[in-house]
Amino acid sequence: MQRVKKAIIPAAGLGTRFLPATKSMPKEMLPIVDTPTIQFIVEEAVKSGIDEILIITNSNKHSMENYFDLNYELEMRLKEAGKNDLVDLIRQVASLANIHYVRQKEPKGLGHAILCARTFVGNEPFAVLLGDDMVVNQGKPALLQLVEAYNQKTCSILGVQEVLHTEVNKYGIVTPSREVKDGKKLFKVVDMVEKPDIDKAESDYAVLGRYILTPEIFDILSHTEPGKNGEIQLTDAIRDLMVHQPVYACDFVGTRYDVGDKFGYVKATIDYSLRRADMSKKVKDYIKELAKNFN
Ligand code: G1P
């Protein structure tokens, strides 16, 4: 069995939901307190045993590449100022993983972005992490739960959780096979639809930005026609993959934030600051104070 050693992080979106901030900076660099969202995603891959990472970018993403590189001038200045702890902090970022980049030249959708990773991945299973979905838990990272499911089933694994029925039209929704019993955390999938109408969804299990895919997906993607919103959809290609290979869903454990959404971003920021030893008390006291004036 081949192990999962590589991960793809698509980051070529325009970030329209965060304009005007994203007019001149990539949305992946928006920080949760002091850490860009993309760093949380890279760290999840690394904690899941993967340190060869390909980020799919576009022409507006230089600051992200600089972020994961060394910055000698800043290091020198920090050293001169005696701030060696900060030197260590910025160095750590540059040594997190082996990060590679490839550009998606046209915004043709998630499926097209993944196809740009074909040469990097070769003929191996690989992980996909979407930057808008941040998952936090005290135990195993979400991606590691999928990797373990892959090691058990040796087929493509989709990271899912149940979402509110009124929100199924925001996600790729899977149809579990009939043998699924309540409470099963790993189950076979027989169909998948990108952003179905609420009254047509077959379940409330939504794919939340984590995938392990077998390399056969690339041939399929190279023939996938534009689907929902005129984009080449990864969901449509996975649906085709199911005809040839089993595909499983892993109902992973963890709190997931949609940091591509303004309210999701604020929630992630508050929760993260409450978990930080250097901020927790101040933030709690502030929220208590604020809450006194809530109706
Ligand atoms: C993408 C996928 C969708 C998935 C979602 C998770 O949609 O196409 O299947 O459920 O990410 O966040 P997007 O949010 O990029 O429109």
PDB file of all heavy atoms in Angstrom, residues 208-225:
ATOM      1  N   LEU A 208     -16.203  18.811   4.105  1.00  0.00           N
ATOM      2  CA  LEU A 208     -15.722  20.054   4.719  1.00  0.00           C
ATOM      3  C   LEU A 208     -14.226  20.255   4.499  1.00  0.00           C
ATOM      4  O   LEU A 208     -13.430  20.308   5.440  1.00  0.00           O
ATOM      5  CB  LEU A 208     -16.074  20.068   6.208  1.00  0.00           C
ATOM      6  CG  LEU A 208     -17.579  20.080   6.508  1.00  0.00           C
ATOM      7  CD1 LEU A 208     -17.848  20.090   7.997  1.00  0.00           C
ATOM      8  CD2 LEU A 208     -18.263  21.284   5.856  1.00  0.00           C
ATOM      9  N   GLY A 209     -13.847  20.289   3.253  1.00  0.00           N
ATOM     10  CA  GLY A 209     -12.502  20.750   2.910  1.00  0.00           C
ATOM     11  C   GLY A 209     -11.351  19.813   3.220  1.00  0.00           C
ATOM     12  O   GLY A 209     -10.207  20.277   3.303  1.00  0.00           O
ATOM     13  N   ARG A 210     -11.615  18.526   3.412  1.00  0.00           N
ATOM     14  CA  ARG A 210     -10.525  17.573   3.625  1.00  0.00           C
ATOM     15  C   ARG A 210     -10.787  16.339   2.768  1.00  0.00           C
ATOM     16  O   ARG A 210     -11.885  15.756   2.818  1.00  0.00           O
ATOM     17  CB  ARG A 210     -10.439  17.121   5.100  1.00  0.00           C
ATOM     18  CG  ARG A 210     -10.181  18.236   6.091  1.00  0.00           C
ATOM     19  CD  ARG A 210      -8.773  18.817   5.946  1.00  0.00           C
ATOM     20  NE  ARG A 210      -8.523  19.859   6.930  1.00  0.00           N
ATOM     21  CZ  ARG A 210      -8.872  21.136   6.776  1.00  0.00           C
ATOM     22  NH1 ARG A 210      -9.493  21.546   5.678  1.00  0.00           N
ATOM     23  NH2 ARG A 210      -8.590  22.014   7.723  1.00  0.00           N
ATOM     24  N   TYR A 211      -9.776  15.934   1.992  1.00  0.00           N
ATOM     25  CA  TYR A 211      -9.924  14.795   1.085  1.00  0.00           C
ATOM     26  C   TYR A 211      -8.626  13.999   1.065  1.00  0.00           C
ATOM     27  O   TYR A 211      -7.543  14.580   1.135  1.00  0.00           O
ATOM     28  CB  TYR A 211     -10.124  15.249  -0.364  1.00  0.00           C
ATOM     29  CG  TYR A 211     -11.183  16.303  -0.630  1.00  0.00           C
ATOM     30  CD1 TYR A 211     -10.985  17.644  -0.308  1.00  0.00           C
ATOM     31  CD2 TYR A 211     -12.370  15.960  -1.276  1.00  0.00           C
ATOM     32  CE1 TYR A 211     -11.939  18.605  -0.602  1.00  0.00           C
ATOM     33  CE2 TYR A 211     -13.334  16.930  -1.571  1.00  0.00           C
ATOM     34  CZ  TYR A 211     -13.112  18.244  -1.227  1.00  0.00           C
ATOM     35  OH  TYR A 211     -14.057  19.195  -1.532  1.00  0.00           O
ATOM     36  N   ILE A 212      -8.708  12.684   0.929  1.00  0.00           N
ATOM     37  CA  ILE A 212      -7.583  11.876   0.453  1.00  0.00           C
ATOM     38  C   ILE A 212      -8.077  11.312  -0.877  1.00  0.00           C
ATOM     39  O   ILE A 212      -9.163  10.717  -0.939  1.00  0.00           O
ATOM     40  CB  ILE A 212      -7.248  10.692   1.394  1.00  0.00           C
ATOM     41  CG1 ILE A 212      -7.019  11.144   2.842  1.00  0.00           C
ATOM     42  CG2 ILE A 212      -6.059   9.891   0.841  1.00  0.00           C
ATOM     43  CD1 ILE A 212      -5.737  11.853   3.124  1.00  0.00           C
ATOM     44  N   LEU A 213      -7.293  11.519  -1.923  1.00  0.00           N
ATOM     45  CA  LEU A 213      -7.736  11.068  -3.242  1.00  0.00           C
ATOM     46  C   LEU A 213      -6.707  10.134  -3.862  1.00  0.00           C
ATOM     47  O   LEU A 213      -5.490  10.297  -3.644  1.00  0.00           O
ATOM     48  CB  LEU A 213      -7.949  12.282  -4.155  1.00  0.00           C
ATOM     49  CG  LEU A 213      -9.047  13.248  -3.688  1.00  0.00           C
ATOM     50  CD1 LEU A 213      -9.018  14.535  -4.501  1.00  0.00           C
ATOM     51  CD2 LEU A 213     -10.427  12.584  -3.789  1.00  0.00           C
ATOM     52  N   THR A 214      -7.187   9.192  -4.637  1.00  0.00           N
ATOM     53  CA  THR A 214      -6.289   8.315  -5.383  1.00  0.00           C
ATOM     54  C   THR A 214      -5.925   9.019  -6.698  1.00  0.00           C
ATOM     55  O   THR A 214      -6.695   9.851  -7.201  1.00  0.00           O
ATOM     56  CB  THR A 214      -6.966   6.951  -5.652  1.00  0.00           C
ATOM     57  OG1 THR A 214      -8.236   7.192  -6.265  1.00  0.00           O
ATOM     58  CG2 THR A 214      -7.160   6.171  -4.366  1.00  0.00           C
ATOM     59  N   PRO A 215      -4.757   8.700  -7.280  1.00  0.00           N
ATOM     60  CA  PRO A 215      -4.289   9.480  -8.446  1.00  0.00           C
ATOM     61  C   PRO A 215      -5.148   9.317  -9.693  1.00  0.00           C
ATOM     62  O   PRO A 215      -5.042  10.126 -10.617  1.00  0.00           O
ATOM     63  CB  PRO A 215      -2.870   8.941  -8.675  1.00  0.00           C
ATOM     64  CG  PRO A 215      -2.809   7.637  -7.973  1.00  0.00           C
ATOM     65  CD  PRO A 215      -3.765   7.706  -6.828  1.00  0.00           C
ATOM     66  N   GLU A 216      -6.011   8.308  -9.705  1.00  0.00           N
ATOM     67  CA  GLU A 216      -6.911   8.128 -10.864  1.00  0.00           C
ATOM     68  C   GLU A 216      -7.812   9.350 -11.056  1.00  0.00           C
ATOM     69  O   GLU A 216      -8.370   9.567 -12.134  1.00  0.00           O
ATOM     70  CB  GLU A 216      -7.780   6.868 -10.697  1.00  0.00           C
ATOM     71  CG  GLU A 216      -7.029   5.546 -10.856  1.00  0.00           C
ATOM     72  CD  GLU A 216      -6.153   5.170  -9.661  1.00  0.00           C
ATOM     73  OE1 GLU A 216      -6.356   5.757  -8.559  1.00  0.00           O
ATOM     74  OE2 GLU A 216      -5.256   4.317  -9.821  1.00  0.00           O
ATOM     75  N   ILE A 217      -7.932  10.177 -10.033  1.00  0.00           N
ATOM     76  CA  ILE A 217      -8.783  11.373 -10.144  1.00  0.00           C
ATOM     77  C   ILE A 217      -8.274  12.311 -11.243  1.00  0.00           C
ATOM     78  O   ILE A 217      -9.052  13.040 -11.865  1.00  0.00           O
ATOM     79  CB  ILE A 217      -8.859  12.120  -8.771  1.00  0.00           C
ATOM     80  CG1 ILE A 217     -10.032  13.094  -8.722  1.00  0.00           C
ATOM     81  CG2 ILE A 217      -7.582  12.851  -8.445  1.00  0.00           C
ATOM     82  CD1 ILE A 217     -11.352  12.495  -8.532  1.00  0.00           C
ATOM     83  N   PHE A 218      -6.953  12.287 -11.516  1.00  0.00           N
ATOM     84  CA  PHE A 218      -6.402  13.245 -12.490  1.00  0.00           C
ATOM     85  C   PHE A 218      -6.912  12.993 -13.910  1.00  0.00           C
ATOM     86  O   PHE A 218      -7.249  13.938 -14.622  1.00  0.00           O
ATOM     87  CB  PHE A 218      -4.870  13.234 -12.451  1.00  0.00           C
ATOM     88  CG  PHE A 218      -4.318  13.813 -11.182  1.00  0.00           C
ATOM     89  CD1 PHE A 218      -3.538  13.040 -10.340  1.00  0.00           C
ATOM     90  CD2 PHE A 218      -4.582  15.125 -10.825  1.00  0.00           C
ATOM     91  CE1 PHE A 218      -3.023  13.576  -9.163  1.00  0.00           C
ATOM     92  CE2 PHE A 218      -4.071  15.673  -9.653  1.00  0.00           C
ATOM     93  CZ  PHE A 218      -3.296  14.886  -8.819  1.00  0.00           C
ATOM     94  N   ASP A 219      -6.938  11.706 -14.322  1.00  0.00           N
ATOM     95  CA  ASP A 219      -7.460  11.397 -15.662  1.00  0.00           C
ATOM     96  C   ASP A 219      -8.900  11.867 -15.778  1.00  0.00           C
ATOM     97  O   ASP A 219      -9.313  12.438 -16.782  1.00  0.00           O
ATOM     98  CB  ASP A 219      -7.414   9.878 -15.908  1.00  0.00           C
ATOM     99  CG  ASP A 219      -6.166   9.514 -16.704  1.00  0.00           C
ATOM    100  OD1 ASP A 219      -5.567  10.444 -17.291  1.00  0.00           O
ATOM    101  OD2 ASP A 219      -5.797   8.324 -16.710  1.00  0.00           O
ATOM    102  N   ILE A 220      -9.654  11.619 -14.708  1.00  0.00           N
ATOM    103  CA  ILE A 220     -11.073  12.020 -14.723  1.00  0.00           C
ATOM    104  C   ILE A 220     -11.187  13.543 -14.797  1.00  0.00           C
ATOM    105  O   ILE A 220     -11.942  14.083 -15.605  1.00  0.00           O
ATOM    106  CB  ILE A 220     -11.795  11.459 -13.473  1.00  0.00           C
ATOM    107  CG1 ILE A 220     -11.741   9.926 -13.490  1.00  0.00           C
ATOM    108  CG2 ILE A 220     -13.231  11.966 -13.400  1.00  0.00           C
ATOM    109  CD1 ILE A 220     -12.296   9.268 -12.249  1.00  0.00           C
ATOM    110  N   LEU A 221     -10.388  14.236 -13.980  1.00  0.00           N
ATOM    111  CA  LEU A 221     -10.450  15.706 -13.980  1.00  0.00           C
ATOM    112  C   LEU A 221     -10.099  16.293 -15.346  1.00  0.00           C
ATOM    113  O   LEU A 221     -10.643  17.323 -15.751  1.00  0.00           O
ATOM    114  CB  LEU A 221      -9.479  16.273 -12.935  1.00  0.00           C
ATOM    115  CG  LEU A 221      -9.983  16.318 -11.497  1.00  0.00           C
ATOM    116  CD1 LEU A 221      -8.842  16.668 -10.551  1.00  0.00           C
ATOM    117  CD2 LEU A 221     -11.120  17.324 -11.343  1.00  0.00           C
ATOM    118  N   SER A 222      -9.191  15.618 -16.056  1.00  0.00           N
ATOM    119  CA  SER A 222      -8.782  16.171 -17.353  1.00  0.00           C
ATOM    120  C   SER A 222      -9.924  16.107 -18.374  1.00  0.00           C
ATOM    121  O   SER A 222      -9.864  16.766 -19.406  1.00  0.00           O
ATOM    122  CB  SER A 222      -7.528  15.475 -17.870  1.00  0.00           C
ATOM    123  OG  SER A 222      -7.834  14.133 -18.179  1.00  0.00           O
ATOM    124  N   HIS A 223     -10.972  15.310 -18.061  1.00  0.00           N
ATOM    125  CA  HIS A 223     -12.120  15.235 -18.966  1.00  0.00           C
ATOM    126  C   HIS A 223     -13.396  15.839 -18.367  1.00  0.00           C
ATOM    127  O   HIS A 223     -14.438  15.845 -19.006  1.00  0.00           O
ATOM    128  CB  HIS A 223     -12.426  13.772 -19.323  1.00  0.00           C
ATOM    129  CG  HIS A 223     -11.292  13.117 -20.049  1.00  0.00           C
ATOM    130  ND1 HIS A 223     -10.553  12.091 -19.515  1.00  0.00           N
ATOM    131  CD2 HIS A 223     -10.765  13.378 -21.259  1.00  0.00           C
ATOM    132  CE1 HIS A 223      -9.620  11.745 -20.375  1.00  0.00           C
ATOM    133  NE2 HIS A 223      -9.724  12.506 -21.442  1.00  0.00           N
ATOM    134  N   THR A 224     -13.306  16.311 -17.126  1.00  0.00           N
ATOM    135  CA  THR A 224     -14.523  16.810 -16.462  1.00  0.00           C
ATOM    136  C   THR A 224     -14.966  18.147 -17.068  1.00  0.00           C
ATOM    137  O   THR A 224     -14.174  19.084 -17.184  1.00  0.00           O
ATOM    138  CB  THR A 224     -14.282  16.959 -14.929  1.00  0.00           C
ATOM    139  OG1 THR A 224     -13.872  15.685 -14.427  1.00  0.00           O
ATOM    140  CG2 THR A 224     -15.535  17.408 -14.195  1.00  0.00           C
ATOM    141  N   GLU A 225     -16.218  18.192 -17.445  1.00  0.00           N
ATOM    142  CA  GLU A 225     -16.776  19.416 -18.039  1.00  0.00           C
ATOM    143  C   GLU A 225     -17.157  20.390 -16.919  1.00  0.00           C
ATOM    144  O   GLU A 225     -17.440  19.958 -15.800  1.00  0.00           O
ATOM    145  CB  GLU A 225     -18.058  19.070 -18.820  1.00  0.00           C
ATOM    146  CG  GLU A 225     -17.845  18.161 -20.018  1.00  0.00           C
ATOM    147  CD  GLU A 225     -17.107  18.863 -21.152  1.00  0.00           C
ATOM    148  OE1 GLU A 225     -17.282  20.100 -21.295  1.00  0.00           O
ATOM    149  OE2 GLU A 225     -16.344  18.187 -21.870  1.00  0.00           O
TER     150      GLU A 225
END
